[in-house]
Amino acid sequence: MFESLIREAASRFHLGDNAGRLVRQLVDTIFDPAYGGFAGLRKRFDDAGLDTLFASWIGTTPGDNVLQPDQFSAGFGQNLASGIASKLGIPPAAVNMAGAWLLPKIVGQLTQGGSIPSARPANYDGWFGTTTPAAGYSGGGARPAAAASGGFWKWLIPLIILIAAFLLFRSCKKDEAAAPPPPAPATTAQPAPTPEPAAQANARFGFENMDGNVMVNGRVAADADKTRLWDALKATYGESNLSGDITVDPATLPANWLDKLIAALPELKAKGLKFGFDGDKLSIDTSGMSEADRFAVSDKLRSLFGGFEISGLWDRAAAALAGLKAGFSGADLVKALNLMNIYFDTGSATITRDSMETLTSAANAIKQAPAGTRIEVGGHTDNTGDAAANVTLSQQRADAVVAKLAELGVAADTLTAKGYGQEKPRASNDNEEGRAQNRRIEFAVTK
């Protein structure tokens, strides 16, 4: 039932055999009566204000990014997620990131046809292929059983006859001189094949601050990188508060986040913060922090790593979208959407990678809007440059947002795009702060 899901999770999140173990742990927890079974899972999501989102997975095949890592931690249960991370020996941030992708799909498969499971079925173990709680997913078939003992004589008797014939042959030939072996044919030396270059793995780093005790893990390419990072961690948090290890592997790609991270560490002291780098992907979990700290840390990490693919950002738009109650109006929706910051490459309509999660949250909310809701996506610029060119650029950016939302599942007839250029500033263009506010995407309900 879950074999293809396990294989994709292993590849997508670099979990290896832990992918099978993680899926099994998630499903085991869902059916565990100690946690209330499936009904208990739904209640935890309801308590977190996410019941509408949870209900949208039942009997369906959810897409990617319909649940964010901090929402997974809040709905599934932070202690449960941390317990699974401890059992598997991986960072809690990795469980939250992979779990956010897996859980909606697991719920969809468990509730095919809209039926809510009440207990484990008889064929439960077969759902995971070769996965077991202890061994994990191996991806191979079962090893065939050894041949029955009766097969022993089938090869033993011919072997005895062969040995006897060999001994008789040696007895007849023992007085004959051994003929010299024929000369070996001349060979032309062949150059040794050029070895294939070793595949390079991403530089990785995991961080978790639990009440001032910081646990880290990771992999970098050189001893100098490890020394610089470790010294910065000790200077920031104190050696006695630091645990974990960072390994060195020359086959690792350069850590393009290293310098920025070292510089930012003094501003990343909030208790409860968890984050992890995997190459140019950054996952953040701020669910254990105060609301103000969540906003500040997310804003800081986004400003530092804007070119990265970021998941788990928590800004005022994310909070507002997550807080929409069932039956919200179009006006409620656009009020939350207009708290978003969507960024583009300078002078272009290319949406930056760090804006993708924001747009995914927006798409999920728009899809739950009341039937008949129509929304205009307006593009706006500051007054820098040619006015006509600004109208063109703002239209292209509005078109790009509409196209991305449609790609994420929003019905095409729900959205229209309109470029306003510099016509409708909401702040002064006399300073950079005002110009930054004027460069925006703004949503409005249309009649």
Side-chain angles (χ1 to χ4, degrees):
M1 186 177 190
F2 295 115
E3 286 185 284
S4 62
L5 200 60
I6 290 168
R7 284 193 294 271
E8 188 171 353
S11 172
R12 181 183 290 259
F13 299 102
H14 310 289
L15 290 173
D17 285 349
N18 270 330
R21 298 187 181 102
L22 176 57
V23 171
R24 182 65 183 256
Q25 290 284 345
L26 292 174
V27 181
D28 281 351
T29 303
I30 290 173
F31 282 106
D32 193 333
Y35 305 117
F38 189 90
L41 174 68
R42 182 162 189 174
K43 184 179 186 304
R44 292 195 298 276
F45 270 82
D46 187 20
D47 292 342
L50 300 170
D51 184 58
T52 301
L53 180 60
F54 186 94
S56 70
W57 310 333
I58 294 175
T60 65
T61 304
D64 295 345
N65 302 318
V66 297
L67 180 68
Q68 304 309 318
D70 61 303
Q71 294 175 320
F72 169 82
S73 178
F76 187 79
Q78 184 174 352
N79 291 337
L80 291 176
S82 296
I84 291 175
S86 178
K87 289 178 184 178
L88 301 184
I90 60 179
V95 171
N96 290 336
M97 184 165 63
W101 183 82
L102 284 164
L103 188 63
K105 295 174 173 58
I106 289 173
V107 170
Q109 291 198 40
L110 291 177
T111 58
Q112 292 179 9
S115 176
I116 305 299
S118 58
R120 301 181 186 185
N123 64 338
Y124 181 75
D125 288 333
W127 286 0
F128 308 93
T130 56
T131 304
T132 65
Y137 181 77
S138 65
R143 184 176 180 176
S149 60
F152 174 79
W153 297 103
K154 294 180 181 179
W155 59 263
L156 181 58
I157 293 173
L159 180 60
I160 293 172
I161 295 172
L162 182 61
I163 292 173
F166 175 73
L167 293 174
L168 179 62
F169 175 79
R170 288 196 60 189
S171 175
C172 293
K173 294 291 185 179
K174 64 182 178 179
D175 294 329
E176 294 184 9
T187 59
T188 302
Q190 298 293 326
T194 303
E196 293 289 333
Q200 290 185 289
N202 287 332
R204 293 174 44 253
F205 180 71
F207 175 99
E208 181 174 355
N209 184 340
M210 300 296 290
D211 295 324
N213 296 311
V214 173
M215 183 175 68
V216 300
N217 63 81
R219 177 181 62 221
V220 293
D223 286 318
D225 291 341
K226 175 179 178 178
T227 299
R228 287 180 58 220
L229 181 52
W230 199 257
D231 286 349
L233 289 165
K234 288 191 294 185
T236 303
Y237 304 103
E239 188 169 6
S240 62
N241 299 321
L242 191 61
S243 63
D245 188 27
I246 300 169
T247 61
V248 174
D249 182 353
T252 302
L253 291 165
N256 56 349
W257 39 261
L258 184 61
D259 293 338
K260 292 179 179 179
L261 175 61
I262 288 174
L265 285 176
E267 299 179 69
L268 301 177
K269 291 185 175 182
K271 295 178 181 179
L273 172 61
K274 305 174 190 176
F275 64 86
F277 289 96
D278 186 349
D280 60 357
K281 296 180 180 179
L282 169 60
S283 61
I284 307 168
D285 182 352
T286 59
S287 56
M289 300 166 57
S290 69
E291 194 83 342
D293 285 344
R294 296 183 76 179
F295 293 148
V297 167
S298 290
D299 186 60
K300 180 64 178 179
L301 289 173
R302 184 173 194 173
S303 67
L304 286 172
F305 302 100
F308 283 53
E309 181 180 327
I310 306 177
S311 62
L313 287 169
W314 189 255
D315 55 18
R316 299 191 185 282
L321 290 170
L324 288 172
K325 301 299 183 183
F328 61 81
S329 67
D332 295 331
L333 174 60
V334 297
K335 183 178 179 181
L337 292 174
N338 282 330
L339 295 173
M340 295 192 307
N341 289 315
I342 301 170
Y343 297 96
F344 300 85
D345 290 342
T346 303
S348 83
T350 301
I351 301 171
T352 59
R353 297 175 69 195
D354 56 300
S355 298
M356 293 306 173
E357 185 184 48
T358 300
L359 286 170
T360 300
S361 298
N364 292 335
I366 294 171
K367 286 186 285 186
Q368 299 176 52
T373 301
R374 299 289 183 268
I375 296 174
E376 179 189 89
V377 180
H380 301 265
T381 70
D382 59 27
N383 67 348
T384 304
D386 179 73
N390 285 337
V391 172
T392 300
L393 178 60
S394 64
Q395 182 67 51
Q396 291 171 341
R397 288 180 170 178
D399 288 338
V401 171
V402 168
K404 176 55 65 173
L405 291 172
E407 181 184 318
L408 293 168
V410 176
D413 62 354
T414 301
L415 305 172
T416 58
K418 172 71 174 176
Y420 291 95
Q422 61 194 48
E423 294 176 9
K424 295 186 176 183
R426 65 181 181 188
S428 171
N429 277 307
D430 294 336
N431 55 68
E432 179 51 37
E433 182 179 352
R435 288 191 292 272
Q437 292 183 50
N438 293 333
R439 298 189 296 268
R440 69 194 188 277
I441 293 293
E442 192 167 287
F443 297 84
V445 178
T446 60
K447 301 298 183 181

